[in-house]
Amino acid sequence: MPFFGTGDDADMTHGPLPLAGKVALVTGGAKRIGRAISLGLAGAGADVVVHYRSSGTEARALVEEIRQLGRRAWPVEGDLGDPACASDVLQLARGSAGPVDLLVNNASSFVGTRLDMVSAAELHADLDINAIAPFLLAKAFAGQEREGAVVNLLDARITDYDAQHVGYHVSKRVLFALTRMMAVEFAPRVSVNAIAPGLILAPEGKAPSYLADLAHTNPLQRHGDPADVVDAVLFLLCSRFVTGQVIFVDGGRHMRGSMYGC
Ligand SMILES: NC(=O)c1ccc[n+]([C@@H]2O[C@H](COP(=O)([O-])OP(=O)(O)OC[C@H]3O[C@@H](n4cnc5c(N)ncnc54)[C@H](OP(=O)(O)O)[C@@H]3O)[C@@H](O)[C@H]2O)c1
């Protein structure tokens, strides 16, 4: 049956799309939130291509873990800072796994830079990794000319202003715009949605109290867990009728005022 069903009355089951047997590619899928997404997809019955750049050891260990769950899995390496690499990553994934049904653009660089300090090279680097590479991957994915679903990882702060990470902030806003453009352009075969996480995991190197200290910045006054992101990713990948949507997984942080982090 086609990915989204045929639309015939007999086919309108209205249940979520089954992920069992689908092939998923998760960029930056070896660690942290990406690892949780890879495992969540495997738990839902999908086979998983775990993309990595520097975390080869973790990627190979995760691939073994997924195989132990009875799913197929493959590691794929690539530096998404090089735009030419994005379509190569999809080709490598297809070479191992065959056609890819689900794409999760999770990989991201999170470099601290303020507006008065940021250089053109730093802006370009963040744009390449956080916006251009996800776009080129999704474009190559849509070029497979088969039905499928894309989820892009944004950030809850796209609605206001992250003054400490200017290149990251700009690039996530560009990816937000591209998400909506791709949702229109890649329809009807491919759905394109996004998740905008809030406080989920502390950036590497931060104090253990980081999440607890910032919990007061969102209306629910707590921090989330990678599992909260996984739930939302799976919902979007399984949906028959949602595209161009952003789900904020942030305890309501996006409804607060701007200038957080100044
Ligand atoms: N953590 C949070 O609370 C939070 C909050 C808001 C939004 N988000 C978003 O959610 C997603 C996951 O967050 P996270 O904190 O788990 O991400 P992360 O640890 O900062 O990065 C995820 C992975 O991105 C990969 N990556 C970085 N630069 C790359 C490059 N040039 N080429 C290829 N891969 C590259 C790295 O893979 P290797 O390790 O293999 O190099 C890294 O493990 C990100 O898109 C992030 O912006 C997270």
Side-chain angles (χ1 to χ4, degrees):
M1 194 206 303
F3 190 88
F4 291 112
T6 61
D8 295 341
D9 282 350
D11 182 45
M12 295 296 273
T13 58
H14 298 292
L17 291 163
L19 296 184
K22 299 277 192 292
V23 172
L25 167 60
V26 182
T27 67
K31 287 164 53 178
R32 293 167 51 87
I33 293 174
R35 172 184 160 80
I37 294 170
S38 298
L39 282 170
L41 281 160
D47 299 325
V48 187
V49 180
V50 179
H51 160 266
Y52 68 94
R53 176 198 48 174
S54 54
S55 301
T57 305
E58 292 87 344
R60 286 184 286 276
L62 179 58
V63 160
E64 269 317 304
E65 196 175 333
I66 292 171
R67 289 176 181 162
Q68 296 294 321
L69 296 172
R71 303 312 320 163
R72 297 183 304 158
W74 309 263
V76 162
E77 184 182 358
D79 182 354
L80 297 175
D82 172 6
C85 176
S87 54
D88 292 351
V89 166
L90 189 76
Q91 284 313 317
L92 286 169
R94 284 171 58 90
S96 297
V100 178
D101 305 297
L102 312 165
L103 169 64
V104 181
N105 278 313
N106 166 80
S108 170
S109 91
F110 186 62
V111 178
T113 41
R114 295 186 64 91
L115 197 64
D116 54 352
M117 300 294 288
V118 69
S119 68
E122 286 168 329
L123 272 178
H124 277 296
D126 279 342
L127 280 164
D128 280 343
I129 297 165
N130 297 345
I132 311 290
F135 163 59
L136 293 176
L137 259 170
K139 194 158 154 284
F141 176 86
Q144 296 179 117
E145 304 214 337
R146 55 191 280 118
E147 295 188 328
V150 178
V151 171
N152 297 321
L153 272 289
L154 305 178
D155 189 295
R157 282 173 284 185
I158 56 164
T159 55
D160 49 46
Y161 180 37
D162 181 354
Q164 313 266 18
H165 303 90
V166 167
Y168 172 83
H169 183 73
V170 168
S171 57
K172 290 291 186 179
R173 288 184 78 135
V174 170
L175 185 56
F176 167 59
L178 285 166
T179 297
R180 293 167 62 91
M181 292 161 72
M182 291 191 288
V184 173
E185 299 286 343
F186 298 166
R189 266 199 300 264
V190 173
S191 69
V192 185
N193 290 291
I195 307 292
L199 260 188
I200 303 290
L201 288 180
E204 295 204 31
K206 291 285 183 189
S209 63
Y210 178 88
L211 295 175
D213 291 347
L214 288 176
H216 68 93
T217 58
N218 68 65
L220 291 183
Q221 306 216 345
R222 63 184 81 128
H223 64 80
D225 182 273
D228 297 311
V229 176
V230 175
D231 289 346
V233 169
L234 294 182
F235 166 75
L236 290 173
L237 293 177
C238 289
S239 175
R240 294 170 196 270
F241 203 48
V242 176
T243 196
Q245 188 59 256
V246 179
I247 298 182
F248 287 82
V249 181
D250 68 341
R253 174 66 188 79
H254 65 284
M255 295 179 291
R256 285 264 162 98
S258 60
M259 307 303 280
Y260 167 67
C262 288

